[in-house]
Amino acid sequence: MQRLVRIRLTPPNSEHIRTAHHAELTPTDSGIYHPDGPKANHALTFKLKLVIGADLGHDIMGKNISKRDRVSQREVLYIAGFDPRGPAKYHKLTCDEFTKHCSLRNLSCNVSNRLRITRDLHQWSLSAGSKSNRVNARFTFLGWDRMVRDHWVRQNALAILKGAWASVTTTGLSAQRLSIKLSWPMTVTVFGPLFVVLGTAAVLILTTVFLILALSGVAILGVAGLLTAFAAAIVLFKLMAGFNAPWIGRITLFIDNGSRKAFLSDWDGPDEMADAILRALRDPENDEVLVVSHSVGVLIALLAFERALEKSWKSVDRAASDGRLVFVTLGQSIPLMSGISADFLRALKSVGDSKVIWLDISSPTDPACFAMVDSYCEHFGGPQRMHVKNAQLYKNFSNPTYQMARRNRFVMHFMYLMAPDGDGPASFDLYESLSSGTRLSDRLPTVPESRHPYYNKRSKP
């Protein structure tokens, strides 16, 4: 028995198909499709053929719909930000947050121990769901923490001083020109170490002056001045703690060094990461592959993707066209480096010119990211390239959790990696993407023709 129904066809990579066509549904031995019946949760399979005028019999997807939509195994390749703590930290973080996610949604889950594959590659597994409807996620940590430790300034005071100097060098100011245009909070964050240095100098000068006044017999001015200097020191300390000025100083110094020296170009880490990406794409058990990167790690992910495209662009483009591959960037800082480094600008163009599906998640309340910025579009012009999404952290998390993050903006920058505990549906949930039975590419909206950065509505698309 064959029946004709009218449906709207949407390909896996969310390309534009705006017209509705007739389709012929041919039931198989698995069951019979009932257009008027309730939606079935079990696996009904049928072949979908396009009918335009006569029955031409062209397969749309090349495989049955239910098998394509269903994800039972995915691999997540994760590249952390500028963090020396390594895979042990992120194994604990992802396992704890995944367990929390499943607990909030009454899902059974399992997490595994960490397995060392190579010196920089580590794996563990996360799974959720019932026995008959289980989703397994192989989590592959692509480490570059050894590189971070090699460039880590151990003393906090020295990190602030060096970071302050790096922010006002020729290279640093060149990076800030684009930063100011796209996101002024990011500019304030990068100049944080400089503000701390200048503020500390001002407090010391004021304290010295008022101490001299007090010793000279002008006691009232001396005491008032000391109290003022003390209050300024408290404000300065909160600023340093809230924005984690030593960490920002280390990142600024790393970016400055990376633009001046060739150590990133000569580093073989991106090659190993590229090989891991290609292995995941060629693994027939993986229904989906997500390459997830956070903060400064997005820059490293661009280098890895560029190498993967050089090694086998067909594998990458084929997986992206099939909707099996999605590049997810969280709290990215691409313009800081792409504006001053030819290597990163080339990598950005290489990935942007490919068919890779790119989802960028950011938040205007995160002062250490470029909020809702399509970095490819800002550099090279043309229509919108990335799926840019506002994480809306204030909706995702309960009020106590969110207020805690507001007091410590450094925590805000890591909320992308936390399981939302708010009452309503989350705008973005990393662990939902890991445990979902459907592909992330199938849940993405169409990329708009243009979008302006959150903090610069006049920026050219």
Side-chain angles (χ1 to χ4, degrees), residues 268-323:
D268 61 358
D271 279 310
E272 186 176 22
M273 294 178 181
D275 291 339
I277 293 171
L278 293 174
R279 279 197 303 270
L281 295 178
R282 292 164 179 163
D283 188 341
E285 294 184 357
N286 288 331
D287 301 313
E288 180 178 58
V289 175
L290 304 179
V291 179
V292 182
S293 55
H294 176 234
S295 190
V296 180
V298 174
L299 297 168
I300 306 301
L302 286 175
L303 295 178
F305 253 122
E306 181 189 31
R307 304 288 172 84
L309 287 164
E310 290 173 356
K311 290 171 181 282
S312 180
W313 66 267
K314 287 185 177 180
S315 297
V316 176
D317 277 5
R318 186 185 304 115
S321 298
D322 292 342

Side-chain angles (χ1 to χ4, degrees), residues 31-91:
I32 298 176
Y33 175 74
H34 299 282
D36 301 323
K39 292 181 179 180
N41 292 324
H42 55 282
L44 292 180
T45 59
F46 47 86
K47 290 184 179 179
L48 183 60
K49 296 184 179 180
L50 186 66
V51 179
I52 303 178
D55 181 3
L56 302 178
H58 298 298
D59 287 342
I60 301 299
M61 304 297 183
K63 59 181 77 174
N64 64 67
I65 297 295
S66 61
K67 182 178 179 181
R68 184 208 169 282
D69 286 343
R70 175 66 189 163
V71 173
S72 59
Q73 167 73 32
R74 64 166 48 88
E75 183 161 347
V76 181
L77 301 106
Y78 178 73
I79 302 174
F82 191 79
D83 192 342
R85 293 174 289 184
K89 160 69 179 178
Y90 287 92
H91 174 250

Side-chain angles (χ1 to χ4, degrees), residues 76-241:
V76 181
L77 301 106
Y78 178 73
I79 302 174
F82 191 79
D83 192 342
R85 293 174 289 184
K89 160 69 179 178
Y90 287 92
H91 174 250
K92 184 179 187 308
L93 172 66
T94 54
C95 289
D96 288 350
E97 295 299 320
F98 185 76
T99 302
K100 176 183 173 182
H101 164 83
C102 294
S103 175
L104 290 171
R105 287 154 184 77
N106 296 319
L107 295 173
S108 65
C109 68
N110 293 101
V111 298
S112 75
N113 294 327
R114 176 168 53 93
L115 176 65
R116 176 174 173 171
I117 307 299
T118 68
R119 188 174 182 181
D120 294 317
L121 267 62
H122 297 249
Q123 279 186 349
W124 54 91
S125 63
L126 311 166
S127 62
S130 63
K131 186 175 181 180
S132 60
N133 191 28
R134 200 158 192 80
V135 178
N136 299 307
R138 181 191 302 140
F139 199 98
T140 303
F141 182 86
L142 305 180
W144 65 295
D145 48 288
R146 287 193 297 122
M147 167 74 77
V148 174
R149 287 193 291 273
D150 288 342
H151 294 82
W152 189 263
V153 180
R154 294 187 178 277
Q155 295 80 15
N156 286 344
L158 188 59
I160 292 174
L161 286 172
K162 288 189 172 183
W165 174 251
S167 67
V168 296
T169 59
T170 303
T171 304
L173 292 176
S174 298
Q176 291 308 313
R177 279 198 289 268
L178 183 59
S179 177
I180 293 171
K181 172 189 172 185
L182 299 177
S183 176
W184 65 262
M186 185 65 167
T187 304
V188 173
T189 298
V190 172
F191 280 126
L194 179 63
F195 295 152
V196 170
V197 170
L198 295 178
T200 302
V203 168
L204 291 175
I205 293 171
L206 284 173
T207 303
T208 303
V209 170
F210 290 129
L211 276 174
I212 293 173
L213 288 174
L215 294 173
S216 301
V218 191
I220 295 178
L221 287 178
V223 172
L226 287 174
L227 291 175
T228 302
F230 181 72
I234 292 176
V235 172
L236 190 64
F237 177 79
K238 288 188 174 181
L239 175 67
M240 184 174 66

Side-chain angles (χ1 to χ4, degrees), residues 337-353:
M337 187 66 96
S338 59
I340 57 178
S341 170
D343 290 339
F344 286 99
L345 189 63
R346 185 187 64 247
L348 174 62
K349 181 169 176 55
S350 177
V351 177
D353 288 346

